Amino acid sequence: MRVNVYDHDLRGRVELVQDTTEGGAVFNGIRFYVGPPIPHTENDDDTAAVTFWFHEDAIYERTLLTQILAKALRLLGVKDLSLVSDPPEDSN
């Protein structure tokens, strides 16, 4: 599967989310919002997003995602990750 997100769809909104299956397994996710915000109710946000889900004990996979994101920043020319600041919320 490939997900294409274009520069004009990038937003500054990113959040940690959590969900529990009916069987009791807990999953944590990091959600990156894309596209324009869509009005929603408290429990129903239809704004487009990409979420990376991890079982709560998935330390290797979390580390792997961190390494992948760091590599992506290096490919974009970021030499010092300490210089990367948080984006403004829902930036356009």
Side-chain angles (χ1 to χ4, degrees):
M1 169 178 50
R2 178 173 41 190
V3 177
N4 294 312
V5 177
Y6 297 96
D7 57 355
H8 62 273
D9 289 323
L10 293 174
R11 296 291 178 263
R13 186 175 168 199
V14 60
E15 66 184 1
L16 184 65
V17 293
Q18 188 176 74
D19 201 5
T20 304
T21 66
E22 290 180 11
V26 177
F27 288 85
N28 296 303
I30 187 77
R31 180 170 291 159
F32 299 90
Y33 286 88
V34 295
I38 296 174
H40 61 276
T41 62
E42 185 174 328
N43 294 321
D44 184 21
D45 187 346
D46 287 331
T47 301
V50 176
T51 306
F52 293 89
W53 289 102
F54 301 95
H55 188 270
E56 66 181 339
D57 297 329
I59 295 169
Y60 169 79
E61 290 80 2
R62 290 182 202 198
T63 302
L64 180 60
L65 177 61
T66 301
Q67 293 167 333
I68 290 168
L69 293 172
K71 181 177 181 178
L73 290 171
R74 287 192 302 275
L75 289 171
L76 289 171
V78 176
K79 303 278 189 245
D80 184 353
L81 295 180
S82 68
L83 300 176
V84 178
S85 61
D86 288 344
E89 278 288 313
D90 287 325
S91 59
N92 290 319

